[in-house]
Amino acid sequence: MSRRAETLLALAGAALVVGLAYAVPWLRFVLTIALAKGLAVLGILLLLRAGQVSFGHALYLALAAYAVAFGTAVVPEALLLVPAAGLLAGLVGLVIGLFVVRYREIFFGMLNLALSMVFYSVLEKFYAITHGADGIRLGPVTFLGLPLAGETAEWTVLGLALVLVLGFGALVRVALASPWGEALAGIKTRETRLDFMGVSPRRVLLIAYVASAVMAGCGGALIALTTRHVTPALAYWTTSGELVFIAILGGAGSVLGPFLGAAAYELTRVYAAALVANAWQAVLGIVLLCVIVFAPGGLWGLIARRRRAA
Amino acid sequence: MSVLLSARDLRLAFGGLKAADGIDLDVEGGEFLAIIGPNGAGKTTFINMTTGYLKPQGGSIRFDGQPILGLSPRRIVALGIARSFQLPQLFTEHTVLQNVALAVAAREGRLSLMAPLLRRAFRDEAAELIGRFGLSGVAEARADALNEGTRKLVDIAMAVALRPRLIMMDEPTSGVAASEKMAIVETLVRVLRGAGVTAVFVEHDMDVVGRFADRVAVWGQGRIAALGPPREILNDPEVQRTVIGIVPAGGVHAPA
Ligand SMILES: Nc1ncnc2c1ncn2[C@@H]1O[C@H](COP(=O)(O)OP(=O)(O)OP(=O)(O)O)[C@@H](O)[C@H]1O
Ligand SMILES: [Mg+2]
């Protein structure tokens, strides 16, 4: 799909989000969470391009969320907290990335999982600092110095999420179309050839990994600002699995896929939970099964196919 | 003319199998050196050792006077040795144009940059190179949709796009239809000579060797059995018997 068409779709999607959030107030929360998770999934998409799946990116999500929660005690300004949390996630991503980009496929996935579970245990066990499974509440937050509360807070965080999503989405779109992005995809099909062209596949993957950590971090920061309460569950492997789930649901063919997937996921979750109470996981499972069998390109793939057919 | 690549006493054994058993070879700058020899003689192994894919257990390799043994493939490429592969190593989900453009971008070292505008320059250069190989018709085809011969050519074009000083090609014409072979090699040689590239190539087709090689090295069991101008080597009865597989007129030559 052309860059123009994707841009228009993205802007239309953003307008739809704002419209829905205006018309149905309780959707504001759901949509903000969906955008935040979509941002983290955008990072997963980068790794998927290289044929790698991380089952541990909840680590960066939770790390940044806790950073924001602790940060509010020091600096309450959201415009400082979010970039700082993203940066922290990126730095930790760099350190861990230097190690994990040496591995591929199942080893890459499991190493990420293992590290995220170590972080989860730390959050659980160091009760004196983290309050264990109870988690911690965010202190008061400001935006440009003005206190964030009530409806204003909801709109502000949603707006922040939209800005980050559009910004990172555009950046990733451009990056994937660059030689770097094509080399990244080359890791999936013929990694050794990159070496024989003078390119380090590990460095190419490391850049993607750090970027994915930053995006997961920004997503985590947004989640913290939205829920105002962080718990170790953010770092648990099911959260990581959820990100991969959304990536497959949305489709890896476009930067719009993660957000489509995240919106579908969160909405299904809310409605299924209301309709069939304890069986919403089953509903999601069946949805994923159908996607894998009937629409391997994800929801995005369905749309792109329809556009081509039209 | 000066020596560009110099190998001395290269040794490499896989278990008990000696794939390189004391290889000495000097490649002159500007020459086209053909490597011939039976299957399993160690021809590919020699290319793998000079391009950093395999590390010899003994010996030395110098490129333009500089020792390169033990360097990574990436460092060796940066010094100016590019290679193509016996089994083409393409980015199968990319188009032919993307494959070659990626090689161009890699050479420019700007890969880490998000260079969508520069990319047009990369692609133009790639398209031009693809045209010189007569592949313009498949430029937009995915690499995994090509036939063996075409994949081979794309593989070579990617190596040429790196603008090496020395190119090592592993059986460049295997898989290429016999009717097109000579024309393709003709083109390839013109491209390489035009760029002043030195070439080492493994080849099983003696017509190609006879027509395009300046010198021929005959590989046998990890050793160089003979080295010389094609006229001399290809008419040597021992080479004809062991490598080319023809029995010379006048009966079987007694082994020397
Ligand atoms: N990485 C490896 N591990 C173990 N054995 C190897 C390896 N590479 C090559 N060999 C063995 O070394 C010998 C030489 O292999 P090589 O590929 O260099 O032969 P070749 O002359 O290129 O043959 P062909 O004409 O069939 O391509 C063969 O017996 C091969 O099985
Ligand atoms: Mg071989």
Side-chain angles (χ1 to χ4, degrees):
Chain A
M1 188 170 293
S2 74
R3 184 172 297 188
R4 234 178 97 94
E6 260 178 312
T7 309
L8 286 176
L9 265 175
L11 292 175
L16 183 67
V17 166
V18 173
L20 279 174
Y22 183 79
V24 192
W26 64 267
L27 271 184
R28 249 171 258 156
F29 178 88
V30 178
L31 290 172
T32 310
I33 295 290
L35 288 173
K37 284 188 184 164
L39 201 52
V41 175
L42 190 57
I44 299 289
L45 175 136
L46 275 183
L47 300 174
L48 278 178
R49 281 292 162 105
Q52 308 306 314
V53 184
S54 163
F55 289 107
H57 262 51
L59 163 64
Y60 304 107
L61 200 86
L63 178 73
Y66 270 84
V68 167
F70 285 118
T72 50
V74 190
V75 200
E77 177 55 48
L79 281 184
L80 292 175
L81 285 171
V82 174
L87 200 67
L88 177 70
L91 285 175
V92 173
L94 176 63
V95 174
I96 292 181
L98 283 169
F99 168 58
V100 296
V101 298
R102 298 161 169 271
Y103 299 88
R104 293 292 175 270
E105 298 178 354
I106 193 72
F107 301 102
F108 178 87
M110 290 299 123
L111 270 175
N112 277 291
L113 174 67
L115 290 165
S116 74
M117 288 313 286
V118 168
F119 184 62
Y120 171 79
S121 325
V122 168
L123 292 177
E124 278 255 291
K125 298 289 179 296
F126 289 84
Y127 190 88
I129 305 167
T130 65
H131 293 252
D134 298 342
I136 50 178
R137 292 216 132 265
L138 270 69
V141 179
T142 63
F143 185 84
L144 287 171
L146 303 170
L148 268 191
E151 205 176 317
T152 331
E154 287 180 18
W155 279 110
T156 308
V157 180
L158 178 60
L160 197 58
L162 276 172
V163 168
L164 283 173
V165 161
L166 290 174
F168 274 113
L171 214 60
V172 169
R173 175 76 164 81
V174 170
L176 284 179
S178 76
W180 172 81
E182 291 189 358
L184 186 68
I187 291 178
K188 183 169 149 194
T189 51
R190 202 66 78 194
E191 180 167 350
T192 44
R193 183 68 191 233
L194 289 172
D195 273 307
F196 285 101
M197 299 195 317
V199 176
S200 162
R202 283 182 190 173
R203 204 166 301 161
V204 170
L205 186 57
L206 181 63
I207 292 169
Y209 192 83
V210 172
S212 73
V214 169
M215 285 185 269
C218 288
L222 289 170
I223 289 174
L225 289 177
T226 310
T227 59
R228 301 202 151 239
H229 183 217
V230 296
T231 66
L234 282 171
Y236 200 56
W237 66 268
T238 50
T239 309
S240 296
E242 199 176 82
L243 299 178
V244 176
F245 183 118
I246 294 171
I248 293 167
L249 180 66
S254 158
V255 295
L256 296 178
F259 304 102
L260 213 57
Y265 178 85
E266 289 299 322
L267 290 173
T268 309
R269 194 160 89 146
V270 169
Y271 281 105
L275 284 175
V276 286
N278 296 323
W280 68 270
Q281 287 98 335
V283 172
L284 281 173
I286 292 166
V287 168
L288 185 67
L289 212 70
C290 291
V291 165
I292 290 173
V293 174
F294 299 111
L299 296 174
W300 171 257
L302 286 177
I303 292 180
R305 202 189 307 166
R306 178 158 301 188
R307 270 186 60 100
R308 260 196 305 277
Chain B
M1 208 164 261
S2 63
V3 173
L4 187 58
L5 184 81
S6 173
R8 285 289 170 275
D9 197 30
L10 289 184
R11 291 175 186 280
L12 181 59
F14 300 110
L17 184 96
K18 289 177 177 170
D21 187 17
I23 304 262
D24 290 309
L25 183 64
D26 282 340
V27 180
E28 304 277 337
E31 80 168 327
F32 278 31
L33 178 93
I35 295 178
I36 64 174
N39 293 120
K43 307 181 294 294
T44 298
T45 300
F46 176 67
I47 294 185
N48 283 341
M49 290 188 297
T50 25
T51 54
Y53 188 66
L54 289 175
K55 193 173 181 320
Q57 288 148 347
S60 74
I61 312 176
R62 286 172 176 275
F63 179 65
D64 206 14
Q66 184 181 346
I68 59 168
L69 193 135
L71 296 186
S72 68
R74 256 185 295 142
R75 297 283 304 284
I76 290 175
V77 170
L79 291 174
I81 305 181
R83 71 174 291 182
S84 69
F85 297 80
Q86 188 165 351
L87 295 173
Q89 301 286 309
L90 308 182
F91 301 112
T92 46
E93 292 180 2
H94 287 75
T95 65
V96 169
L97 188 67
Q98 284 172 329
N99 268 278
V100 180
L102 199 49
V104 173
R107 179 200 73 214
E108 291 296 307
R110 298 211 180 91
L111 204 62
S112 55
L113 291 186
M114 297 180 182
L117 288 178
L118 272 172
R119 191 159 156 263
R120 172 143 300 154
F122 299 156
R123 292 178 78 103
D124 287 348
E125 183 184 330
E128 190 268 335
L129 188 59
I130 288 168
R132 271 194 278 160
F133 277 87
L135 297 173
S136 296
V138 293
E140 293 299 335
R142 255 173 66 134
D144 56 3
L146 307 173
N147 64 38
E148 168 82 4
T150 312
R151 283 214 300 275
K152 268 272 154 63
L153 290 180
V154 175
D155 194 77
I156 296 168
M158 288 170 77
V160 172
L162 298 173
R163 295 207 183 133
R165 295 170 67 197
L166 169 66
I167 189 168
M168 309 197 81
M169 295 178 287
D170 203 345
E171 305 192 13
T173 69
S174 72
V176 176
S179 56
E180 299 166 13
K181 200 177 252 189
M182 277 303 169
I184 280 166
V185 183
E186 203 91 60
T187 311
L188 180 59
V189 168
R190 201 169 44 237
V191 170
L192 295 177
R193 290 243 193 255
V197 180
T198 306
V200 172
F201 62 105
V202 175
E203 183 57 67
H204 285 295
D205 186 321
M206 295 307 142
D207 291 336
V208 171
V209 172
R211 188 139 154 210
F212 297 104
D214 298 313
R215 284 197 301 159
V216 181
V218 184
W219 244 250
Q221 302 304 319
R223 300 182 141 271
I224 297 181
L227 179 66
R231 215 175 325 103
E232 188 183 300
I233 296 289
L234 298 183
N235 291 322
D236 182 291
E238 176 65 15
V239 171
Q240 290 191 338
R241 190 179 60 79
T242 56
V243 180
I244 309 174
I246 49 176
V247 179
V252 176
H253 192 79

